[in-house]
Amino acid sequence: MNKLKHILFALICINVSAQNTMMQNTKDALNINGLKIGQHTSTMLYGFDTRTTEVLGSYYLDTDWSLATVRFYPKTISTPKGVVKLDSLTDVQVRIILYGNDVEFNTPEGIKVISGTLIKSFSLIRPNQLIKNYVSTLEFVDNFDKTKPSFFEVLVDGKVKLLDYTKVTILKPDYVEAFNTGSKDVKISKEKQLFVTQGKEVLKLNTNKKEVLGLMADKKIEVENFIKQNDLSVKDRNDLITIFKYYNSI
C-alpha cells in the first residue's frame, strides 16, 4: 500500500511539473516574441488615419488591465529558444481589443499583441468582482453571420448556454471640407447582444417570453411556474440569467 502511495505521488509530481513547464514555455514564447504580432501603444485604430482625427469611444472590451487565465488552442510554434507547444497562462494581465480580435498582454518585455484566434477561452479576475468566463466565437457555428471572430462572455453554462456578445460599430469621419459639415472624428460604439446555443449553433436571442420558453420546451411548465412564483421578467438581464440557470439545473 505504501509503495502504491509513493507511485501515485510520483505520478502527480511528474504531471504537475510537466504542466508547469508547459505553462512556463508558453510564457517564454510570449516574452521572447514567439507569439508577438507587434508592440501596441493603443494610440492608433488600425485601418484608419487618426493623425488629423480623434477616436471617440474605446475599441477595448475594458480599458483597464485584468488578471487572467488564458487557454490557447493546441498549436506548436517556433521561437528563438526552440519549438514550443502552446498550452495556457495564469496570472497574466490582458486587455481585449474587440475591433480586429486581438489580445494585449502586459509582459515584462512590454505590451505584446496576439491574434484572438489563437485563444480558445479565458477567465478575467477583477478586484471585488465575480470571475468572468469567455470563450471564442470560433467554438460555435453561426449560420446567420451575426457575429465576427471575437469572444462570448458565458453568462450561464449548461445544456442551453446564455452568452453575451459585444458588437462593435465604427463610424468613419464624414466631414465635407467644402461645406464645413459632418465630423472629422472616428466614433466607436459598443452594443451588448445576447445569444443562446442549440448544440454547437449560436442564435441571437430576442428577449420575449415566447421565444425563451420555446428554447426550454422540454421543461416549459416548470420554467413558467418558476418565472411566475419568483416574479421574474425575461426583459431583465439578471432575471434572465436566473431563469437560464434554473432551466439548466432541472
Side-chain angles (χ1 to χ4, degrees):
M1 180 62 71
N2 288 335
K3 184 177 181 181
L4 179 60
K5 288 182 179 179
H6 288 309
I7 293 173
L8 290 174
F9 179 75
L11 288 174
I12 292 171
C13 290
I14 291 171
N15 186 48
V16 171
S17 176
Q19 289 179 349
N20 289 339
T21 300
M22 188 173 290
M23 287 171 57
Q24 185 59 48
N25 286 343
T26 305
K27 187 173 291 186
D28 289 342
L30 180 65
N31 289 339
I32 62 178
N33 301 341
L35 299 177
K36 178 184 173 186
I37 289 178
Q39 299 287 347
H40 187 58
T41 62
S42 305
T43 59
M44 177 66 74
L45 182 63
Y46 299 119
F48 296 92
D49 184 355
T50 57
R51 289 172 294 182
T52 59
T53 68
E54 290 188 22
V55 177
L56 305 180
S58 171
Y59 49 92
Y60 287 108
L61 178 66
D62 191 328
T63 55
D64 293 329
W65 292 101
S66 295
L67 198 63
T69 295
V70 181
R71 303 163 192 87
F72 294 90
Y73 283 107
K75 183 180 177 67
T76 301
I77 63 171
S78 296
T79 75
K81 287 189 176 182
V83 176
V84 172
K85 183 178 180 182
L86 299 181
D87 178 55
S88 63
L89 290 173
T90 59
D91 298 330
V92 291
Q93 288 189 327
V94 301
R95 290 192 299 194
I96 312 304
I97 304 172
L98 296 171
Y99 182 74
N101 188 30
D102 290 328
V103 179
E104 286 185 344
F105 286 77
N106 192 8
T107 79
E109 304 298 324
I111 297 175
K112 305 294 176 66
V113 186
I114 73 168
S115 172
T117 58
L118 292 174
I119 296 173
K120 183 176 182 179
S121 63
F122 60 88
S123 300
L124 296 184
I125 306 168
R126 299 292 301 277
N128 303 316
Q129 293 184 18
L130 295 174
I131 295 175
K132 293 186 176 182
N133 297 307
Y134 293 81
V135 63
S136 172
T137 57
L138 302 178
E139 286 293 286
F140 304 95
V141 177
D142 180 5
N143 289 319
F144 297 94
D145 296 327
K146 295 293 185 181
T147 65
K148 294 182 178 181
S150 184
F151 298 96
F152 287 117
E153 180 185 354
V154 183
L155 300 178
V156 180
D157 204 352
K159 182 170 61 174
V160 178
K161 295 176 174 59
L162 181 62
L163 307 171
D164 181 274
Y165 174 77
T166 303
K167 180 182 178 181
V168 178
T169 302
I170 308 293
L171 297 179
K172 300 179 182 180
D174 58 1
Y175 179 71
V176 181
E177 186 173 2
F179 300 102
N180 193 28
T181 60
S183 173
K184 296 181 180 180
D185 301 323
V186 176
K187 298 177 182 178
I188 304 171
S189 64
K190 292 182 285 190
E191 178 189 356
K192 294 282 191 180
Q193 298 180 340
L194 292 173
F195 283 77
V196 294
T197 60
Q198 288 187 341
K200 272 293 186 178
E201 185 180 4
V202 287
L203 299 169
K204 189 175 179 182
L205 177 65
N206 294 315
T207 52
N208 63 72
K209 191 174 181 180
K210 182 178 180 180
E211 181 166 336
V212 171
L213 291 175
L215 295 167
M216 306 173 181
D218 58 326
K219 302 289 183 181
K220 182 179 178 180
I221 295 176
E222 292 94 324
V223 174
E224 274 190 306
N225 289 336
F226 180 76
I227 292 173
K228 184 176 181 179
Q229 290 168 4
N230 293 277
D231 194 24
L232 302 176
S233 169
V234 298
K235 300 292 185 183
D236 183 276
R237 185 183 178 89
N238 290 329
D239 285 358
L240 192 62
I241 290 172
T242 300
I243 293 166
F244 271 82
K245 283 184 176 178
Y246 173 74
Y247 170 73
N248 282 308
S249 71
I250 60 177

